[in-house]
Amino acid sequence: MHERFATIDYHTAGEPFRIVPDLGIPIDGADVASKRVFAAASPEVDRARRLLCFEPRGHADMYGGFIVEPDDAGAHLGVLFWHKDGFSTACGHGTIALGVWAIESGLVAADESGTTVVVIDVPSGRVTARVRTDQAGTVTGADFINVPGYVLARRVPVQTSRGEVLADITFAGAIYAQVDATAVGLSIEPEDVSEVIAFGREVKWLLNDSAHAEHPSDRRLNGIYGTILYSDHSADGVVHQRNATVFADGELDRSPCGSGTCARVATLTEEGILPVGGELVHDSIVGSRFLARVVAEGVEAGHRATTTQVSGIAHKTGEHVFEVDPSDEMTPGFVLR
């Protein structure tokens, strides 16, 4: 069997997103959340994930998505997000990339108003990419509007190799632990990247099976997806933070992390640091930036919930046709971390 996979690659604020419009492998399920469960258990689908994510076609920090049917006619498309360790429940940077791709590919016609809404079903619910275009039809920016986020636990003590830290745990499409990097002597800078990854991974696995990491209504969303290490740079009334999000098993987000940004907004709003309507300036470890604000409030599972809008941009990096030589002994690939 000669395998071929066509992809369109984007990056959002430096983080890759590999789109597979037609996988060519059936993915069953009544909705996108069920399709994720099917994909994770399917040797054929998971092989395709590994082929496109692992070296030599990808790398340990590759990210992408398989386009699937949406839950119903209310959305333009569905997507299964994937990384080197499996299939995730949410991805803000991927949603931004998908919105831009939908407009640039013609899948969704650009609205003459200059703002086009692209509705996407993801495993954690229905999200929106709001894509902005100029008079020539060129994409100039995009907003990601997430499912509601809410704090699950505040200031949870965690005994780590760097001493005790206090973690805030928040759901925003996925569950994140958030720790002040400066409290353990880390900076959100490229020179600290190895230590940032190691510590983020450590915190994740210390909390992953705890009661704090249980979703209140859907066990498929249980577990710590990522650790957000942050430092605060707020001044003159501007809430400004820098973060490194370490997700899956040691992947480092090059962007400020879309769903992770929503988790920070929910946490900062709960703490009273970010006023409703105020803006979070959120930078990544490579210096890219998202702007985020609360656009709606409510109650979810007994928690104060915030719906967050994250603004950024995605750029196309290429189109690819990946092939698998049946005699290639390195198939489906490898990762070194």
Side-chain angles (χ1 to χ4, degrees), residues 140-300:
T140 59
D143 304 325
F144 159 54
I145 301 173
N146 198 12
V147 299
Y150 44 88
V151 177
L152 296 172
R154 290 283 312 282
R155 300 181 67 79
V156 176
V158 187
Q159 298 296 331
T160 76
S161 60
R162 290 175 173 265
E164 182 179 278
V165 299
L166 298 176
D168 295 316
I169 301 175
T170 301
F171 172 78
I175 297 175
Y176 290 93
Q178 303 141 84
V179 175
D180 185 346
T182 59
V184 291
L186 291 173
S187 66
I188 310 303
E189 299 292 345
E191 54 264 29
D192 273 3
V193 66
S194 295
E195 293 176 283
V196 163
I197 291 172
F199 187 69
R201 183 187 240 171
E202 179 184 3
V203 171
K204 170 189 170 131
W205 292 119
L206 286 170
L207 287 168
N208 189 65
D209 296 322
S210 72
H212 302 298
E214 294 179 1
H215 189 272
S217 62
D218 189 344
R219 60 184 300 273
R220 295 173 299 184
L221 302 174
N222 285 359
I224 300 294
Y225 175 58
T227 302
I228 301 173
L229 301 176
Y230 65 87
S231 58
D232 191 79
H233 305 272
S234 301
D236 301 324
V238 176
V239 183
H240 178 196
Q241 295 196 341
R242 191 172 174 94
N243 92 96
T245 300
V246 183
F247 64 93
D249 189 19
E251 287 201 45
L252 176 65
D253 202 323
R254 275 68 173 157
S255 82
C257 186
S259 54
T261 295
C262 297
R264 290 301 296 147
V265 166
T267 303
L268 292 167
T269 301
E270 181 76 11
E271 292 175 341
I273 294 172
L274 183 68
V276 174
E279 185 173 74
L280 170 64
V281 179
H282 213 211
D283 294 346
S284 76
I285 197 168
V286 299
S288 55
R289 175 170 290 180
F290 287 157
L291 301 176
R293 64 174 63 245
V294 173
V295 293
E297 289 190 282
V299 176
E300 294 280 336

Side-chain angles (χ1 to χ4, degrees), residues 10 76-77 94-105 108-120 128-134 137-145 309-315:
Y10 279 76
H76 294 99
L77 67 141
T95 300
I96 289 174
L98 286 167
V100 175
W101 166 72
I103 299 302
E104 293 185 340
S105 68
V108 176
D111 193 281
E112 292 181 357
S113 69
T115 301
T116 307
V117 174
V118 180
V119 183
I120 304 169
T128 299
R130 193 164 53 203
V131 185
R132 297 183 296 279
T133 51
D134 62 17
T138 302
V139 173
T140 59
D143 304 325
F144 159 54
I145 301 173
Q309 171 187 296
V310 178
S311 301
I313 185 63
H315 299 282

Side-chain angles (χ1 to χ4, degrees), residues 28-49:
D28 296 335
D31 53 25
V32 173
S34 300
K35 289 179 172 68
R36 173 177 175 261
V37 175
F38 178 92
S42 165
E44 294 81 11
V45 179
D46 198 56
R47 173 184 169 87
R49 174 190 66 82

Side-chain angles (χ1 to χ4, degrees), residues 1-20:
M1 179 177 65
H2 197 76
E3 297 168 277
R4 293 167 60 93
F5 299 95
T7 74
I8 302 97
D9 284 24
Y10 279 76
H11 84 85
T12 307
E15 178 72 0
F17 193 74
R18 177 163 286 168
I19 300 168
V20 186

